[in-house]
Amino acid sequence: MSSAPNRDQILYDEFVSRLQTRPSLMAVAPGRVNLIGEHTDYNDGFVLPVALDRDVRVLFNPRQNRRVRLYAVEFDAWAEFDLDDLTFSEEHFWSNYVKGMAWSLAERGLRLIGIEGIISGNVPRGSGLSSSAALEVACAKAFMAAANQLDALPGEQIAKAAQRAENAFVGVNCGIMDQFISTLGAEGHALLIDCRSLEYQLVPFPTGAALVIGNTKASRSLANSAYNERRAQCEEGVRILQSVLPGISALRDVSSAQLEVHKDLLPSIIYRRCRHVVTENERVQSTVDALSRGDLAEVGRLMAASHASLRNDYEVSSDALDAMVSAMSSAEGCFGARLTGAGFGGCAVALVKRGQEGAVRDAIFEQYAKAMNIWPEVYISTPSAGAHILALD
Ligand code: GLA
């Protein structure tokens, strides 16, 4: 029986044929799926993501100068630039994540050197599984390893630097969750992150459960502007509530009991946005408790409640996401399902009894495809390791 060459071999061969030499190092950084805690990170709150077994890889050699030369396999394109001249590229958008990362590491005092190599990823792009964060973090690791500075920054600070690259260089106003889990995820675990203090705690993922991710393949065109609008609405909520709760600086500081007491101060849409964030933070804590008791039925109920809150109060779901969640939830063995990531399209995640992944997948292909007339993709995943460097020789 002949076996197909594996991804490692394909990438190695691609490197050799593109660069006429062998790579010495590979940086790997995973995409993520968020179990619960949506739109809480930029409110200083709590999130509970998992690193996926899908990642971005940079195979590279350090250079003796400050030039960077990288080939992006999926775009079939080269980008070449100097570390002393980091300018935004309209032509090769992907290269801005690489440049932005170099820029923000330099801002933190790291003296980098050039690299040459290839980049390839199997995190679906533009689907809410954080392919951008994976690219940033893989580049961070590659630059740090090339400069012999792998220990120069702790993981939390690598994540911060990657977020800064995305906010200030690429121009996307994301929170810290995606870069944090890509950097610090661990096999077999979810990660509880306090997005204010950046303290984190590994939470064992139940051995009797699996993750099924349904990609709606529906467009997310609204995502950027609506994301910024939601952030502004949360800030407005905080400003109004500060008149009666002067100690608060973010929605993280508000309990649902306090929100109910002061409800009448808030315009109704702002109240509903705040109610989502405040109750979602509480659901993250309850999910961690339920996981520690092994109560997966309760975790599933909390996921369903999160989706309802994102749909009704935060209004970031879509027909496609609702159809996906309903297909998943109807299947035997599904504890619960919800949209994951920013929303408006992209993916939903289901927590499923191990052994029942196929039933959930079948339900998605039958029901979702019929309801939306779109052919979805399904990924069955297990919690995987965060970013790391591998020596290739
Ligand atoms: C996107 C952002 C994250 C987070 C989620 C919503 O994935 O990149 O920082 O805000 O949306 O939870």
Side-chain angles (χ1 to χ4, degrees):
M1 210 173 81
S2 75
S3 61
N6 65 24
R7 183 169 165 228
D8 289 342
Q9 189 63 50
I10 292 171
L11 291 181
Y12 195 94
D13 293 348
E14 178 86 39
F15 186 107
V16 173
S17 89
R18 296 276 165 196
L19 289 118
Q20 306 299 315
T21 181
R22 291 195 298 232
S24 57
L25 295 166
M26 175 164 76
V28 182
R32 66 100 187 89
V33 72
N34 190 16
L35 266 190
I36 198 159
E38 219 64 85
H39 291 278
T40 46
D41 63 350
Y42 54 80
N43 288 298
D44 274 4
F46 299 94
V47 293
L48 189 65
V50 163
L52 293 177
D53 54 1
R54 289 174 171 264
D55 54 54
V56 170
R57 299 181 173 195
V58 184
L59 284 73
F60 66 98
N61 285 322
R63 303 180 89 178
Q64 297 314 314
N65 55 35
R66 300 216 351 122
R67 288 205 62 77
V68 175
R69 197 171 159 255
L70 290 166
Y71 174 75
V73 175
E74 283 72 30
F75 295 101
D76 186 21
W78 285 94
E80 189 163 356
F81 56 88
D82 200 290
L83 289 169
D84 297 309
D85 181 22
L86 298 169
T87 49
F88 192 88
S89 165
E90 300 288 347
E91 189 193 354
H92 298 304
F93 195 81
W94 60 271
S95 72
N96 296 319
Y97 296 95
V98 187
K99 292 176 179 178
M101 205 56 245
W103 170 81
S104 79
L105 288 174
E107 193 185 54
R108 277 165 197 263
L110 271 72
R111 176 78 188 157
L112 303 182
I113 61 168
I115 57 174
E116 64 179 356
I118 67 169
I119 300 179
S120 176
N122 64 358
V123 186
R125 286 189 303 280
S127 299
L129 299 179
S130 297
S131 58
S132 312
L135 174 56
E136 289 151 8
V137 174
C139 289
K141 287 278 177 182
F143 280 127
M144 292 172 78
N148 244 323
Q149 301 204 51
L150 260 187
D151 299 324
L153 295 175
E156 306 88 286
Q157 294 307 321
I158 298 175
K160 276 290 231 191
Q163 180 197 17
R164 170 120 174 103
E166 184 143 352
N167 291 168
F169 197 94
V170 180
V172 175
N173 204 13
C174 61
I176 187 70
M177 168 169 69
D178 308 343
Q179 292 80 5
F180 205 103
I181 180 67
S182 184
T183 308
L184 285 159
E187 198 177 332
H189 291 81
L191 196 65
L192 172 65
I193 307 167
D194 177 335
C195 298
R196 170 174 279 167
S197 69
L198 300 188
E199 283 167 357
Y200 59 96
Q201 179 194 323
L202 286 170
V203 176
F205 188 80
T207 48
L211 292 169
V212 178
I213 298 165
N215 187 345
T216 61
K217 301 296 275 289
S219 136
R220 297 164 78 220
S221 48
L222 261 179
N224 238 339
S225 56
Y227 186 88
N228 292 337
E229 184 189 54
R230 297 300 182 282
R231 287 188 72 141
Q233 289 168 330
C234 292
E235 283 161 20
E236 188 182 342
V238 172
R239 260 195 314 276
I240 297 172
L241 288 168
Q242 276 170 336
S243 64
V244 283
L245 301 168
I248 66 167
S249 60
L251 287 178
R252 143 74 175 273
D253 301 314
V254 181
S255 69
S256 37
Q258 285 172 319
L259 184 64
E260 289 314 305
V261 170
H262 302 297
K263 174 179 176 175
D264 293 341
L265 292 174
L266 301 167
S268 119
I269 189 167
I270 302 293
Y271 164 68
R272 285 190 294 116
R273 303 298 189 245
C274 294
R275 183 167 65 180
H276 165 70
V277 174
V278 165
T279 58
E280 184 79 351
N281 270 326
E282 293 168 354
R283 280 187 289 272
V284 175
Q285 303 289 347
S286 307
T287 300
V288 173
D289 292 346
L291 283 170
S292 73
R293 298 192 305 271
D295 187 349
L296 299 189
E298 176 63 8
V299 175
R301 274 192 292 277
L302 290 158
M303 290 173 76
S306 167
H307 185 76
S309 174
L310 287 159
R311 184 188 58 218
N312 302 332
D313 276 354
Y314 220 60
E315 295 180 285
V316 294
S317 191
S318 64
D319 290 349
L321 282 165
D322 291 345
M324 181 62 77
V325 166
S326 115
M328 289 168 143
S329 311
S330 74
E332 174 89 29
C334 176
F335 294 112
R338 55 183 289 282
L339 74 82
T340 187
F344 301 101
C347 290
V349 58
L351 185 73
V352 174
K353 188 166 183 220
R354 195 168 275 282
Q356 298 286 346
E357 299 90 331
V360 177
R361 186 188 50 218
D362 292 350
I364 294 172
F365 281 121
E366 277 158 31
Q367 296 173 38
Y368 176 82
K370 199 182 282 168
M372 296 305 300
N373 209 11
I374 302 176
W375 196 243
E377 283 179 8
V378 176
Y379 322 112
I380 294 170
S381 199
T382 48
S384 303
H388 51 279
I389 289 279
L390 294 170
L392 294 180
D393 287 327

